[in-house]
Amino acid sequence: MTAAERKKTLRARALERRRARSEEARRQDSRAVCALVADSDIFTGADCVLLYAPVRGEMDMTPLADAAVSHGMTVGYPQLTGDGHMTYRAVKDSTMLTPGVYGIPAPNTDAPEICPTEKTLLLIPALMGDADGYRLGYGGGYFDRFLPSFPGTGVLILPADEVVPCLPTEENDIPVPYLVTPAGWRRGI
């Protein structure tokens, strides 16, 4: 079985587990991870926080937007393009998001584009992650195309039970240095 085939199988299993997770468990996990991120030096030392609007049962990190603004940080959300690329645009809050590509809430195209720096924090949703910082997403490759030129710090956001010892990888997969679960921070690569 190829890495792509193994990923497809793992993706289906992860989505099934996510659908089975209760909304209350999701809320508790989200609150725990938000608190861990907000209390970290990585967060408080950032100039900009790149968040995501949760879809398909992802943990909700949007409460971090208020904390970021109170620390004087810019807050951005992704805007996907039909050609498989992603940019981040600044918004005042998540109410400024409207359904975009794949129905994922995104900023308007006239919102200012963010140019990440070494001090930019990127929170990345995933279906699964491993000890080396690799992620299993939905298969669109948006983060794999975005990460090679991203100069800041990437952090995977996952439920604790979706961290596995090793995921199948392909040449285009890019690991990130950290992952956070409700159980705490883990260092990847």
Side-chain angles (χ1 to χ4, degrees), residues 19 23 25 27 29 33 36 48 51 67 80 85 90 105 113 123 128-129 140 153 155 158 164 169 172 182:
R19 282 190 288 274
E23 188 58 38
R27 277 193 294 273
D29 285 352
V33 170
L36 287 165
C48 177
L51 298 171
L80 309 180
H85 289 86
E113 188 172 336
L123 301 184
M128 298 177 86
T153 302
V155 178
L158 290 164
V164 297
T169 59
N172 63 325

Side-chain angles (χ1 to χ4, degrees), residues 7-176:
K7 284 181 176 184
K8 185 176 181 179
T9 300
L10 289 170
R11 192 173 286 120
R13 289 181 192 158
L15 284 167
E16 178 122 354
R17 282 191 302 273
R18 183 175 282 175
R19 282 190 288 274
R21 183 172 274 124
S22 74
E23 188 58 38
E24 181 56 30
R26 225 181 329 269
R27 277 193 294 273
Q28 287 176 0
D29 285 352
S30 296
R31 282 191 297 268
V33 170
C34 281
L36 287 165
V37 171
D39 289 340
S40 71
D41 291 338
I42 291 173
F43 179 80
T44 58
D47 61 355
C48 177
V49 178
L50 304 179
L51 298 171
Y52 61 89
V55 295
R56 299 181 227 167
E58 294 169 341
M59 282 195 273
D60 186 0
M61 299 293 102
T62 55
L64 288 172
D66 291 338
V69 169
S70 71
H71 281 88
M73 300 173 204
T74 301
V75 174
Y77 285 86
Q79 185 174 65
L80 309 180
T81 64
D83 66 355
H85 289 86
M86 176 172 67
T87 59
Y88 278 81
R89 296 190 178 271
V91 297
K92 300 274 188 239
D93 62 58
S94 63
T95 62
M96 300 176 71
L97 305 177
T98 58
V101 175
Y102 304 118
I104 297 171
N108 291 326
T109 56
D110 61 350
E113 188 172 336
I114 293 173
C115 294
T117 71
E118 290 179 359
K119 293 177 68 177
T120 300
L121 173 61
L122 171 64
L123 301 184
I124 306 169
L127 292 170
M128 298 177 86
D130 73 14
D132 292 324
Y134 286 98
R135 69 182 285 279
L136 180 68
Y138 298 106
Y142 286 92
F143 282 102
D144 292 321
R145 285 184 285 280
F146 182 80
L147 286 170
S149 63
F150 177 68
T153 302
V155 178
L156 291 180
I157 304 298
L158 290 164
D161 60 350
E162 296 301 342
V163 179
V164 297
C166 184
L167 285 171
T169 59
E170 297 172 276
E171 189 175 312
N172 63 325
D173 291 326
I174 307 290
V176 296

